[in-house]
Amino acid sequence: MKRKPNFRLALVMPVLWAGQLLLAQNFKGVVLNTEGKPVEGAEVYMVENGATTTTDSRGMWALTSADQNTKTLVFHKDGYTYEQMLKQAPDADIVGTLRKAQKSAATLREESYIKNGCNTVKVPNDKKWNVKFKISELKGDLAPDPKYTRRDPSAVIKVKNKYYMWYSYSITNDANKTAPWDLNDLYYATSTDGITWKEEGIAVGRGVPGSYDARSVFTTEILAANGKYYLVYQAAADLDGIYNRNVVGMSWANSPDGPWTKLEQPVLTPTYTNHLFFDNNAVHDPCIVPYQGKFYLYYKGECNCRDNAGCVRWCNPICGLKKQVKWGVAIADKPTGPYVKSVKNPITNTGHEVMVWPFAKGMAILQHQDGPEPKTIQFSENGFDFNIMGGVENIPEAAGLFRAPVSKKNPHAGITWGVGHKLNFVKGQKSWMNIYRFDLVKE
Ligand code: AAL
């Protein structure tokens, strides 16, 4: 049977096709190295739709998207760092610049552990560096109370004879909570002796629906600089941000008592790539330290295997470990950013919670767990290349350090006391958490 020509379709199709053409957007550009020379064979990845291409011999590339929204573009080639552009509008002259990657001291040590065995991890037994802590309970409003879950405290700072700390806060039995850091707000407390604390209430709350911090704000740190106060914290837009791709948000205030003003955009995001990279899944535990006239944002990265065949959870941890997480650092001229991730990332091979303080002309850190160098104290002359200096006994969990003046001689001046947190496991119920105090034990 002969089919009748469908005139309506014949009329509509070209219109639809032309409409799509109108909607389709072109992103084009060039990838250069830091000397301004074209980079051939660099990957260009459009995060929102997964479109990927490779630069030609002139470093040129082109990608199309079916909608008119801005896009996240990631540029990469082996031997270079990942560079990403957020909220890039369609354009024909997008210039991506690739910086050569460098191996940090911790990455070189990790390579040597892989080659020579994990029994080659050396922790010097040095009295000047070895540390030991003792833990005690807080009093007042922050005395342990199963009704409330208070966790991941910030550093403690002293402002006009009062100590201040900020922390993640939630009601333990909130039925909608999927983890202790889900559906959190940032609360703060003050004290005159560092032992008895008064809960002052909310400092920074979750954002309105649709915002990058709508689901939870948690795991915060405080920076006092230029007469202002800056809170950095993890922010989750939705449930995925609780376990995977979160961002780091920031709020600032003229007084530690607020009011706090949120920045419109996050200051840090994971490296949005499907390749294995130490922070391709999440950026956690942000902590900003003023250093050499700049602001160093240290953070813990988490790696996710995503589409990488054969990769095991946590991206193939070494030394038979179940989990390995590493830290990165991003540097800015101003506290509010923009923060640029270091070419030396990752800067540790172990990690979890970030505990960092300036000492002499360099930077000291505590490494807690999740890697081959747990319970160590480390030092770096330049803020990137950390070496193991000694061991740590009774390390506090998720410690917020009391911010003391920088010492030229005593590496422990930045860890004399502070606050940490404890998980109280209750079988068959939601576990709760409380904040405790830790003190350095002088030997
Ligand atoms: C902690 C931190 C981050 C994680 C979660 C809450 O140990 O590393 O803050 O997102 O667990």
Side-chain angles (χ1 to χ4, degrees):
M1 196 177 67
K2 216 175 154 198
R3 283 180 75 179
K4 267 204 208 153
N6 184 337
F7 289 112
R8 211 190 281 163
L9 206 66
L11 274 176
V12 166
M13 279 311 279
V15 175
L16 276 180
W17 185 70
Q20 260 194 353
L21 260 191
L22 274 181
L23 275 181
Q25 295 293 328
N26 294 320
F27 292 73
K28 279 187 192 170
V30 64
V31 176
L32 305 173
N33 63 19
T34 44
E35 277 109 53
K37 303 250 164 63
V39 180
E40 183 181 359
E43 186 185 273
V44 184
Y45 172 58
M46 195 176 265
V47 174
E48 287 77 3
N49 59 13
T52 308
T53 188
T54 309
T55 54
D56 65 15
S57 59
R58 294 165 307 148
M60 308 289 280
W61 61 274
L63 283 172
T64 310
S65 90
D67 59 61
Q68 296 195 298
N69 300 334
T70 59
K71 292 285 176 295
T72 308
L73 297 174
V74 184
F75 304 93
H76 179 62
K77 186 177 174 171
D78 278 351
Y80 292 88
T81 51
Y82 290 89
E83 305 291 351
Q84 64 194 24
M85 286 179 180
L86 303 172
K87 299 193 183 293
Q88 173 65 52
D91 196 329
D93 297 302
I94 301 169
V95 181
T97 306
L98 287 185
R99 297 169 296 158
K100 279 253 163 74
Q102 291 174 27
K103 286 179 186 172
S104 64
T107 299
L108 292 172
R109 281 202 302 283
E110 175 174 323
E111 286 179 359
S112 131
Y113 300 151
I114 293 170
K115 199 164 150 230
N116 304 314
C118 293
N119 51 0
T120 60
V121 177
K122 279 198 190 67
V123 180
N125 185 6
D126 181 345
K127 271 203 178 146
K128 183 182 169 196
W129 282 93
N130 290 346
V131 270
K132 199 172 169 178
F133 295 102
K134 69 169 200 278
I135 305 287
S136 54
E137 274 178 4
L138 299 182
K139 296 181 179 158
D141 293 342
L142 295 201
D145 183 342
K147 280 203 286 286
Y148 306 100
T149 285
R150 301 182 178 98
R151 55 173 287 145
D152 285 308
S154 70
V156 176
I157 57 166
K158 194 169 190 184
V159 187
K160 291 189 197 139
N161 297 328
K162 251 202 291 185
Y163 296 110
Y164 282 78
M165 73 155 126
W166 289 259
Y167 47 90
S168 312
Y169 172 98
S170 65
I171 300 292
T172 302
N173 283 322
D174 179 340
N176 299 320
K177 234 169 47 167
T178 68
W181 56 90
D182 189 10
L183 299 172
N184 277 206
D185 295 301
L186 300 176
Y187 271 51
Y188 78 114
T190 59
S191 168
T192 49
D193 62 3
I195 296 164
T196 304
W197 291 82
K198 175 171 182 275
E199 186 157 82
E200 302 283 358
I202 195 164
V204 174
R206 282 162 267 177
V208 294
S211 55
Y212 68 80
D213 57 356
R215 175 89 193 188
S216 194
V217 285
F218 54 115
T219 315
T220 188
E221 261 296 348
I222 184 75
L223 163 74
N226 311 335
K228 289 196 166 65
Y229 299 86
Y230 302 87
L231 282 174
V232 261
Y233 43 86
Q234 291 180 216
D238 50 28
L239 201 53
D240 185 55
I242 298 298
Y243 300 99
N244 294 297
R245 284 178 164 172
N246 72 304
V247 294
V248 171
M250 181 184 268
S251 295
W252 66 271
N254 288 317
S255 148
D257 294 297
W260 295 91
T261 304
K262 280 185 187 177
L263 297 195
E264 260 169 45
Q265 299 299 332
V267 291
L268 198 74
T269 72
T271 299
Y272 294 120
T273 169
N274 285 336
H275 297 291
L276 299 191
F277 195 54
F278 87 103
D279 69 349
N280 78 334
N281 192 49
V283 282
H284 286 169
D285 301 74
C287 175
I288 303 175
V289 184
Y291 184 54
Q292 294 183 339
K294 297 195 186 268
F295 296 90
Y296 280 52
L297 196 175
Y298 289 90
Y299 64 97
K300 161 199 151 199
E302 273 192 7
C303 179
N304 188 318
C305 288
R306 299 193 188 275
D307 292 337
N308 291 276
C311 168
V312 300
R313 197 168 149 74
W314 303 110
C315 300
N316 308 325
I318 65 164
C319 301
L321 290 158
K322 288 217 178 80
K323 184 173 178 185
Q324 185 178 9
V325 295
K326 303 170 183 180
W327 296 3
V329 63
I331 298 158
D333 293 332
K334 291 185 296 171
T336 48
Y339 283 90
V340 179
K341 289 183 183 177
S342 168
V343 293
K344 291 235 175 175
N345 285 352
I347 53 159
T348 70
N349 53 43
T350 303
H352 216 107
E353 51 267 53
V354 168
M355 299 179 269
V356 51
W357 68 101
F359 163 57
K361 290 198 172 129
M363 198 65 78
I365 61 173
L366 294 181
Q367 290 272 273
H368 182 184
Q369 57 186 346
D370 298 336
E373 300 173 355
K375 300 190 177 102
T376 57
I377 179 166
Q378 306 199 358
F379 180 67
S380 143
E381 300 278 353
N382 60 9
F384 310 105
D385 293 302
F386 288 93
N387 293 308
I388 310 178
M389 309 304 288
V392 187
E393 264 183 72
N394 207 13
I395 192 164
E397 191 158 314
L401 313 175
F402 170 62
R403 291 298 183 201
V406 179
S407 167
K408 285 195 182 130
K409 290 209 178 104
N410 173 13
H412 299 158
I415 42 172
T416 52
W417 71 278
V419 280
H421 75 196
K422 181 175 164 212
L423 175 74
N424 304 287
F425 184 73
V426 191
K427 215 178 158 196
Q429 281 176 40
K430 283 196 200 286
S431 300
W432 61 283
M433 306 200 54
N434 69 283
I435 296 174
Y436 57 67
R437 178 180 163 120
F438 71 84
D439 285 274
L440 185 79
V441 177
K442 296 208 176 70
E443 299 261 90

